[in-house]
Amino acid sequence: MRPLPLLLLITAGGFLLRLGYTLFYPQPFFPDQSRFLGSIQLFSQSWQFPHGSMDMPLLIVFYGALSSLGLPEWGLRLLNILASTATVYVAGLLARELAPDRKTGTKAMHTAALIAAVYPFFLFYAPLIMTEALFSLLLATGMLFLLRQRLILSFLFFALGNLTRPTLIYFLPVAAAYYIWLNRHQRPSRLLLRTGAAFAVFFLLMVPWVA
């Protein structure tokens, strides 16, 4: 079987595993999930944020908007499962990017995707309406674009990840330094322009929530 179809098959298996876990295993009670559900409900009804939720607005805005359009709670859980499933696929692509050659990359891609598909914590958080599944997908996608030297797209996803869980801002200098080192033979002015544009994208997305 060709590499990408097998990766898609592993990803599909990861989705079925998450769906089965959600349907047949009792979901635990989490105070944080109750807080997010309450925030989502308030935003969907009044487009207002409850006190203390502005540090993680993306999940509330995204799910709250969908909820206001009539998407029920099970639909929000399905979106979380899909985000967790997509992370399986992206994890495989990340491993392929990190591999030293194509043959090793194919094996690494399938191995990483298989691990992500069955990783207990990914399964556990998949149906919970919390930030873990969405953040993992956004972080992995940002890392993938960084490895592919698409710095602006990488910082775009890092910004979305930081709006989901505010933990990535201190990683930006590391990511920028890595990009500059990979492209150290290019003209400094070109590197400075791209790096500055990437930082601008990040902070332009952040400013409305911190101003």
Side-chain angles (χ1 to χ4, degrees), residues 17 124 142:
L17 196 59
F124 180 77

Side-chain angles (χ1 to χ4, degrees), residues 101-147:
D101 55 68
R102 184 173 181 177
K103 183 178 180 180
T104 306
T106 299
K107 293 179 179 179
M109 176 175 68
H110 296 150
T111 302
L114 188 59
I115 292 172
V118 301
Y119 186 55
F121 279 102
F122 284 175
L123 292 175
F124 180 77
Y125 281 109
L128 299 179
I129 301 178
M130 295 166 61
T131 58
E132 279 75 7
L134 182 59
F135 176 77
S136 296
L137 175 60
L138 294 170
L139 174 61
T141 306
M143 292 297 297
L144 179 63
F145 280 120
L146 178 62
L147 292 176

